[in-house]
Amino acid sequence: MIRPAVSSEPRPIVFQNQWRDVFDGTLPEDWEPTKSVSVVIAAYNSATLPLTLASLAAQDYPEELLEVVVVDDGSEPPVVLGDVVPRNLRLIRVEEGWGRSNATDIGIKATSGDIIYWVDSDMILFRDNVRQHAKWAHFIPEAATIGDKGFIESWDYTPETVYKKVLDGTIGDDYDRSTLHEHWSIQIYRDTDDLNTSHGRNYSTHMGACASVTREVYDRTFGQDTRLHLGEDTEIAYQLWQAGAVFIPVHEALTWHLGPGTVQNHAAKVAHVNDAHFAQRMPIPRYRRTSDNRVWEVPLVKVVVEVTLETAHLARNCVDRVLNSTLTDVHVVLVGPWSTLDEGRRKMLADPRTELYLVQEWFRTDNRVIFAEAVPDTVFPAPYRVDLPVTVGVTSDSLMQMYRHIDGDRLGAVRYFTPGHTKDESVTIWDSAAVARARRYVGGDAVLEDVVDRVWGFQWGSNDRAQLIDLREADLSERVTRVEPRVAQLEAELAVLRQSARPASLPRQIARRMNELSGNRLAPAARGVNARLGGVPAAALRRLRRALG
């Protein structure tokens, strides 16, 4: 897809994940940071925490813009802060819950920095590490940065030596990075031009050991999933992607990782545990969901349908068609005046709300249908949204084709020409990440679809692909069933073959007609006689037909 031309608007907007087009990391000579940074460290019985704090104490970022919060996740004995620590340091003891995600959540809620930077308690940060992370947020409001780790297996550091070496810039001389374990993310960076061509899909590279994000983007998410006790950094990274984050690997933000990473020695076990949790929460990548016809916590697509008193008679057919799609990973948000329905006495056949009551009853037990009073601003964290007028019907394969279109072409939105409907009423599928980023720039003459075009791309699609119908012209009494595209294709081919087949001979036509007149009793009787005579009559007839040509 061709990137849209750069706009003359002064506010920079990153197209998809092409951050280099907006800011390549080169700072103006007189640049000074102005954004505050909150470093959050979750610690549990960590022997290396004093080394991490010592490296933070030696950072060159302005002290008045840097705060550090250590969250003690139930360590025994409790964490005691040493003498070589940052000036603006706080210690919080977890009172309820456990695990890194829970502790990180507590720490983030206790801070107010413009940039949130979570750091593991087994990291040594080089002197300009915080500055290298933070600079990106000054130029790209959606920046989510990932630092560069060197995994060291042994060390003899003390807090005092770490502080001195970080301060004088010699900490990086202690190990040859080229001889250390290479993290799996490095190859992804090579393959995607440092994520510039990743479209954000390599969100899993944004890991908890040393990663930051602007609070503006973080506040669009649900925050840390405190139910998770492994893989929580990947899950929040997925949320950040859907919230419009721009993922940027910052190779200049150097660290030493004290010891091997969890995945380094236990990759298969980690993946086995994570896959079930990730499948529930992250529809992309698709390979994690190894079963169809399932209801997942976060669907791939949410379809938004608005119903009124006047259109309620169409709602059941409209939504049934969605739920019978070949794309089964879908939820429906059914928007209507449901709060006006009550259990009081009413005239069952004369109440103007009767159709609404029937719609509610029809879908009452289907947990794929969500009843809502107002059209949602977002379907976060579902990656795709379809706005479907209740007057439009989809065929079995419509949603699958729309999803393949927007996903395959990496578009921010596709609007389809819809029979019987105006442009503004047309069916539209949106990419949630594109919409989340675009909303920041909507205003004045800029409408959402125009900004989505600038940040991700927008197209009009043909109804030959979407296969949409006008329900106001349809027979609503027909049963709604799922038709698999391949089955439909084979049935159509079979019908053509039948039409082109040679018509039956006159004797066979006469025999069929006589059998019909006998109530289909003649054919079984004839087969019985043929069997008793050893098949001689049937064989004689076949010879006669061949002789007659």
Side-chain angles (χ1 to χ4, degrees):
M1 183 177 61
I2 298 174
R3 187 193 191 285
V6 177
S7 170
S8 60
E9 183 176 334
R11 292 180 296 178
I13 302 179
V14 174
F15 180 75
Q16 295 185 356
N17 208 66
Q18 296 176 22
W19 49 265
R20 194 178 287 115
D21 291 351
V22 171
F23 177 59
D24 66 0
T26 304
L27 292 169
E29 291 185 5
D30 58 348
W31 181 80
E32 288 296 332
T34 59
K35 293 185 179 296
S36 56
V37 179
S38 296
V39 177
V40 177
I41 304 173
Y44 175 68
N45 292 341
S46 174
T48 55
L49 174 63
L51 306 182
T52 302
L53 294 177
S55 70
L56 281 163
Q59 291 297 301
D60 67 358
Y61 205 72
E63 283 189 336
E64 67 275 11
L65 295 176
L66 180 63
E67 66 171 337
V68 179
V69 173
V70 175
V71 185
D72 182 357
D73 187 27
S75 302
E76 292 298 341
V79 168
V80 176
L81 300 177
D83 297 326
V84 188
V85 296
R87 188 180 74 176
N88 300 319
L89 174 65
R90 284 184 288 155
L91 175 63
I92 300 174
R93 175 85 171 179
V94 172
E95 301 295 336
E96 185 175 351
W98 66 279
R100 183 183 177 280
S101 58
N102 182 64
T104 303
D105 182 63
I106 292 170
I108 291 174
K109 289 176 178 176
T111 63
S112 59
D114 301 315
I115 301 164
I116 301 166
Y117 183 14
W118 41 76
V119 175
D120 281 354
S121 62
D122 53 3
M123 307 294 292
I124 292 178
L125 281 59
F126 291 17
R127 178 160 171 72
D128 63 345
N129 181 281
V130 173
R131 181 182 291 265
Q132 291 292 346
H133 277 279
K135 73 179 182 183
W136 293 92
H138 287 74
F139 297 89
I140 298 178
E142 300 84 14
T145 60
I146 311 101
D148 214 16
K149 300 181 292 294
F151 294 84
I152 60 176
E153 299 292 335
S154 61
W155 57 91
D156 59 359
Y157 291 129
T158 66
E160 291 75 16
T161 59
V162 166
Y163 177 80
K164 180 180 182 300
K165 284 176 172 286
V166 171
L167 195 65
D168 64 20
T170 60
I171 191 75
D173 299 334
D174 293 344
Y175 301 89
D176 181 355
R177 299 180 76 85
S178 66
T179 65
L180 303 178
H181 167 74
E182 181 177 281
H183 194 267
W184 55 264
S185 60
I186 301 301
Q187 188 58 49
I188 292 177
Y189 299 153
R190 294 191 190 108
D191 294 340
T192 61
D193 185 23
D194 278 340
L195 303 183
N196 270 267
T197 62
S198 73
H199 310 285
R201 287 172 177 262
N202 295 113
Y203 61 84
S204 60
T205 59
H206 191 267
M207 291 157 292
C210 52
S212 82
V213 65
T214 61
R215 191 173 294 269
E216 175 183 331
V217 172
Y218 186 84
D219 284 348
R220 301 175 197 163
T221 73
F222 294 148
Q224 305 288 318
D225 190 334
T226 58
R227 299 169 297 175
L228 291 175
H229 302 293
L230 192 65
E232 65 283 338
D233 49 356
T234 301
E235 194 278 336
I236 190 61
Y238 169 80
Q239 288 195 57
L240 295 175
W241 175 34
Q242 294 309 309
V246 177
F247 294 106
I248 307 166
V250 184
H251 300 299
E252 299 81 11
L254 298 173
T255 63
W256 292 136
H257 188 291
L258 302 173
T262 305
V263 175
Q264 186 173 333
N265 294 332
H266 307 285
K269 290 182 179 179
V270 170
H272 178 69
V273 172
N274 281 342
D275 279 352
H277 297 285
F278 288 173
Q280 279 289 1
R281 296 161 172 82
M282 290 170 263
I284 298 173
R286 298 297 290 152
Y287 68 80
R288 290 196 182 109
R289 295 186 172 175
T290 56
S291 175
D292 290 333
N293 300 310
R294 287 285 314 280
V295 179
W296 305 96
E297 180 176 334
V298 180
L300 178 69
V301 177
K302 273 193 176 181
V303 179
V304 180
V305 179
E306 189 172 7
V307 60
T308 64
L309 279 172
E310 293 73 26
T311 59
H313 66 288
L314 300 171
R316 283 191 281 167
N317 191 279
C318 175
V319 176
D320 276 342
R321 287 170 173 270
V322 171
L323 298 179
N324 275 276
S325 295
T326 55
L327 193 158
T328 61
D329 195 354
V330 59
H331 291 181
V332 177
V333 181
L334 191 51
V335 182
W338 311 115
S339 61
T340 66
L341 307 184
D342 56 64
E343 295 302 318
R345 186 184 297 275
R346 68 182 190 276
K347 295 180 179 181
M348 295 295 293
L349 302 182
D351 191 333
R353 302 170 297 170
T354 293
E355 282 297 334
L356 281 175
Y357 278 104
L358 296 178
V359 171
Q360 189 180 60
E361 178 63 17
W362 192 253
F363 297 112
R364 176 173 56 84
T365 59
D366 195 322
N367 61 357
R368 294 171 296 173
V369 179
I370 304 159
F371 291 93
E373 290 287 322
V375 176
D377 290 333
T378 175
V379 296
F380 177 88
Y384 294 107
R385 166 182 180 150
V386 173
D387 285 324
L388 180 71
V390 72
T391 50
V392 178
V394 297
T395 55
S396 295
D397 209 37
S398 295
L399 291 181
M400 182 66 79
Q401 291 302 318
M402 287 190 280
Y403 158 66
R404 287 174 175 169
H405 187 180
I406 192 171
D407 183 77
D409 290 355
R410 298 291 189 262
L411 294 165
V414 181
R415 182 164 292 162
Y416 292 92
F417 292 102
T418 306
H421 294 73
T422 66
K423 287 176 56 178
D424 292 337
E425 298 170 332
S426 296
V427 175
T428 307
I429 183 169
W430 305 86
D431 183 295
S432 295
V435 172
R437 189 180 305 163
R439 285 193 185 280
R440 184 181 196 274
Y441 304 94
V442 172
D445 295 333
V447 298
L448 181 61
E449 69 181 50
D450 291 338
V451 184
V452 167
D453 189 24
R454 291 181 56 199
V455 302
W456 227 272
F458 173 88
Q459 280 185 5
W460 275 91
S462 167
N463 194 43
D464 290 343
R465 186 167 197 163
Q467 307 167 30
L468 306 169
I469 64 172
D470 189 342
L471 286 183
R472 295 165 297 192
E473 305 295 330
D475 182 0
L476 301 183
S477 66
E478 291 184 354
R479 183 179 180 84
V480 178
T481 57
R482 181 185 304 162
V483 178
E484 295 293 338
R486 182 57 179 157
V487 173
Q489 180 184 353
L490 291 173
E491 288 178 344
E493 292 173 356
L494 181 59
V496 172
L497 290 173
R498 284 172 173 167
Q499 290 177 358
S500 61
R502 187 175 64 178
S505 64
L506 181 60
R508 186 175 292 277
Q509 293 181 45
I510 293 172
R512 287 176 178 173
R513 181 59 179 159
M514 291 176 64
N515 182 59
E516 292 172 1
L517 293 173
S518 71
N520 294 321
R521 292 190 295 272
L522 182 59
R527 286 194 293 270
V529 171
N530 183 64
R532 287 194 294 273
L533 295 177
V536 173
L541 286 173
R542 287 195 294 272
R543 287 195 297 272
L544 179 61
R545 284 199 297 270
R546 287 196 295 271
L548 295 174

